[in-house]
Amino acid sequence: MGGRRLTGRLVEVEAYLGPDDLAAHSARGLTPRTSTMYGPPGHAYVYLVYGMWNCLNFVTQAAGEPHAILVRALEPGPGVGRCSGPGLLCRSLEIDRRLNGVALVPPDLYLVDDGHEPPAITVSPRIGVDYAGDWKNRPWRFCADSPHLSKPVPAGAGRL
DNA sequence: AATACGATTGTCT
DNA sequence: GACAATCGTATTC
C-alpha cells in the first residue's frame, strides 16, 4: 500500500490552466519540470520555489493538457503544524520533490457525500502571480470559510 | 558556462 | 511596505 495518507479539510486551492495561462509553469511548454503536469491526472506535481519551499499540486486533466490545482491551505489534523500557505503546508506534511509524480488515486474506497450542502466557496485572484499579465486577475483562487487561509479573501470576492 | 528569477515566508521599519 | 534567504529551472551566451 505504500502511499501516504493525508487527512484534513482542504480550504484553499488555486487552478493553473496551462499552457494558455501565463501564470502556470506549463505556459512555457513541456520541460523536465513540467512533465508531471503534462502527464496523466491523479498525480502529485511537487516543485521547489525560492530555493527553499515545496508546493503540492494535483494534476487534474488528461495527459497532454497541463492543468493542476495548487494546494494552498489545509486545516491541520492532529499532530500537524501550520498548513496555511503552500510552502508551510508541505513543510508540515513533510512533502518534497521526491513525491513529484506519485499517484494520488485510486483510493480503496470512494465516498460520495450527497447529504450535505457544499461549503460556501469564494473566488478571487490568485496569489503571487503578478508576472502573469492579464492572467493574474483571473478569479481562480477558491477558498472555504476558514481561519487557516494563507491570506485573507479580498473584499468583493465572488461566490462560486 | 553564466545568468535571472520564482505559484514563499519571516523579519524589520 | 521593503527586503533577505536560497537553489533549481529555464534561458541565453
Side-chain angles (χ1 to χ4, degrees):
Chain A
M1 326 206 308
R4 290 184 50 199
R5 179 189 182 88
L6 301 182
T7 58
R9 180 178 176 233
L10 212 51
V11 294
E12 180 181 353
V13 299
E14 287 177 355
Y16 287 86
L17 310 187
D20 297 328
D21 176 8
L22 291 183
H25 293 161
S26 51
R28 302 188 183 232
L30 177 60
T31 67
R33 181 173 65 154
T34 60
S35 62
T36 303
M37 290 182 79
Y38 277 85
H43 290 250
Y45 167 47
V46 184
Y47 65 89
L48 183 73
V49 272
Y50 296 104
M52 58 189 104
W53 303 102
N54 289 279
C55 293
L56 170 67
N57 297 251
F58 299 150
V59 177
T60 58
Q61 302 301 111
E65 192 173 1
H67 294 189
I69 296 293
L70 171 65
V71 181
R72 289 191 58 89
L74 203 64
E75 291 189 356
V80 177
R82 260 187 67 184
C83 283
S84 301
L88 290 172
L89 184 149
C90 283
R91 172 196 271 180
S92 293
L93 299 180
E94 297 178 301
I95 291 171
D96 61 33
R97 287 174 304 147
R98 289 173 298 190
L99 292 176
N100 183 41
V102 302
L104 302 167
V105 290
D108 296 324
L109 179 62
Y110 189 76
L111 292 179
V112 177
D113 181 356
D114 56 1
H116 301 85
E117 287 293 319
I121 303 292
T122 61
V123 298
S124 52
R126 294 171 291 182
I127 305 297
V129 294
D130 290 345
Y131 57 85
D134 294 337
W135 294 82
K136 72 168 182 262
N137 298 316
R138 298 289 181 117
W140 289 345
R141 176 185 181 218
F142 304 91
C143 297
D145 183 14
S146 167
H148 297 279
L149 301 181
S150 67
K151 287 183 165 56
V153 173
R159 289 276 171 179
L160 190 60

